[in-house]
Amino acid sequence: MSNSKPSKEGGTSKNFRWTKPMESLFLEILAEEAQKGNKPSNTFRAVSIKRVATTISERFQVQCDAKHVENHLRTVKNTWKTICTIREESELGWDDNMKMITCDRVTYDAAVTIHPKYAPFLNKKIEFYDEMALVIGQDMATGSFAKTFADIDLDNAAECSLPLNFDNEDVAEERTKVSSSGTSKRKRKNLQESVDDDHIQFVGEKLGEIAEALKKFTEDKTPHLYEEVMSMEKEGFDDDFLCGAFDFLAKNEFEAKAFLAKKTKHRKIWLQKFTQG
């Protein structure tokens, strides 16, 4: 737009730039929206995207619209995919207090030699990790944020299932190289078959892990979750509503854990917000 106002922090609408304070607010709002049930699948509702754009615009005096929010959400998803991929590497450790992927010097040097893009995520605190886990985590099958069966999207699983020594750029680069040689057709076929096999094996392993995690959650937590949700009847919530809230929480492990960790007055606030969702 010709009348876009320049901003020291955010730039014009055409040249919008995200700062760390903006990103923090972006993730904070979307985390709240996810907890309110405004992310029924892997996509936030339009009202949530609009809330982020409006709040960013007002708070930082910039022109932020829904397209900026959607584009940045894709960027954050790609960052989370990279984190998930690195965490799958068995030789790397994890410090949950520091939110840091850890490794020794030899492992670090080997990893960043193959994938220089991984350097910012090794032996350094990952900023906004918990927020990304809540906003993006259910889209990925990894660690304590694994999907339930209701959330599984095999197409998305295939997209983010490349192992540590293969990413999309590596595959594209390899395809470019082999296409220039006399044996390009055979090499391209072998490469594609190798990647496809990796995809199949990875997705199969993930489904097994998800099934085991879901089984454990069902056996260990579901009865307790049901009792705790239904106990809120004494706070004035009717039986039918609480049954619906329980069904939602049973399908969303992260929200269920957060609900169980809350005090009664905070559970009441969550349930009141849930009625508005």
Side-chain angles (χ1 to χ4, degrees), residues 71-86:
N71 288 341
H72 193 59
L73 186 57
R74 282 193 287 270
T75 298
V76 175
K77 284 185 177 182
N78 288 333
T79 298
W80 185 257
K81 281 186 182 182
T82 301
I83 294 170
C84 291
T85 301
I86 299 173

Side-chain angles (χ1 to χ4, degrees), residues 8 26 38 50 57-58 64 82-83 118 131 141 145 158 168 171 181 185 188-189 191 194 204 211 218 224 259 275:
K8 184 177 180 180
F26 162 93
N38 285 334
K50 183 178 180 181
S57 297
E58 293 175 351
C64 178
T82 301
I83 294 170
Y118 293 167
E131 291 83 355
F145 303 105
N168 292 333
V171 174
S181 71
K185 193 171 184 178
R188 185 160 53 246
K189 180 180 179 182
L191 176 63
S194 174
T218 301
H224 176 61
F259 180 86
T275 63

Side-chain angles (χ1 to χ4, degrees), residues 32-263:
E32 291 178 1
E33 293 296 303
Q35 288 182 309
K36 289 195 296 186
N38 285 334
K39 187 187 176 188
S41 59
N42 288 342
T43 305
F44 281 94
R45 291 174 175 164
V47 65
S48 302
I49 300 298
K50 183 178 180 181
R51 180 189 168 196
V52 175
T54 300
T55 306
I56 293 290
S57 297
E58 293 175 351
R59 182 78 58 86
F60 297 98
Q61 294 298 297
V62 295
Q63 187 173 336
C64 178
D65 58 34
K67 184 59 65 176
H68 294 134
V69 177
E70 291 168 353
N71 288 341
H72 193 59
L73 186 57
R74 282 193 287 270
T75 298
V76 175
K77 284 185 177 182
N78 288 333
T79 298
W80 185 257
K81 281 186 182 182
T82 301
I83 294 170
C84 291
T85 301
I86 299 173
R87 288 197 62 186
E88 291 296 330
E89 176 58 42
S90 59
E91 294 182 359
L92 301 177
W94 174 251
D95 186 327
D96 196 52
N97 291 324
M98 291 295 294
K99 307 303 178 188
M100 180 189 299
I101 299 170
T102 60
C103 61
D104 58 34
R105 187 68 197 181
V106 174
T107 303
Y108 175 91
D109 289 342
V112 299
T113 297
I114 299 172
H115 297 287
K117 292 186 300 182
Y118 293 167
F121 303 102
L122 298 177
N123 293 330
K124 296 177 183 177
K125 178 179 174 62
I126 300 175
E127 289 190 277
F128 310 122
Y129 180 89
D130 287 333
E131 291 83 355
M132 284 192 292
L134 184 57
V135 173
I136 310 297
Q138 282 192 334
D139 298 347
M140 315 295 171
T142 184
S144 61
F145 303 105
K147 293 178 181 179
T148 65
F149 281 115
D151 296 321
I152 294 173
D153 181 339
L154 289 179
D155 290 335
N156 285 343
E159 288 177 6
C160 66
S161 63
L162 290 172
L164 183 61
N165 62 343
F166 264 106
D167 61 21
N168 292 333
E169 291 184 3
D170 292 332
V171 174
E173 181 180 355
E174 184 65 21
R175 285 175 175 168
T176 301
K177 290 179 180 178
V178 298
S179 65
S180 64
S181 71
T183 59
S184 62
K185 193 171 184 178
R186 183 177 68 254
K187 288 184 177 180
R188 185 160 53 246
K189 180 180 179 182
N190 291 340
L191 176 63
Q192 185 62 52
E193 289 176 351
S194 174
V195 173
D196 288 344
D197 288 343
D198 286 332
H199 282 177
I200 293 170
Q201 181 180 357
F202 183 90
V203 173
E205 291 174 354
K206 286 293 121 187
L207 288 174
E209 291 174 10
I210 293 166
E212 185 62 29
L214 183 59
K215 179 181 177 182
K216 186 175 186 300
F217 179 74
T218 301
E219 292 176 348
D220 296 346
K221 302 294 184 182
T222 302
H224 176 61
L225 175 64
Y226 179 79
E227 292 177 3
E228 293 298 317
V229 172
M230 300 311 292
S231 71
M232 295 300 292
E233 189 173 9
K234 63 189 177 184
E235 298 295 329
F237 297 97
D238 64 59
D239 191 73
D240 288 343
F241 168 76
L242 291 176
C243 284
F246 167 76
D247 290 341
F248 172 82
L249 291 171
K251 292 178 182 178
N252 295 274
E253 181 180 353
F254 191 84
E255 283 82 0
K257 288 180 177 178
F259 180 86
L260 291 174
K262 296 178 188 292
K263 296 180 180 179

Side-chain angles (χ1 to χ4, degrees), residues 6-12 15-22 59-62:
S7 166
K8 184 177 180 180
E9 288 190 81
T12 65
N15 188 30
F16 189 85
R17 292 187 302 274
W18 287 88
T19 64
K20 285 187 178 180
M22 289 180 188
R59 182 78 58 86
F60 297 98
Q61 294 298 297
V62 295

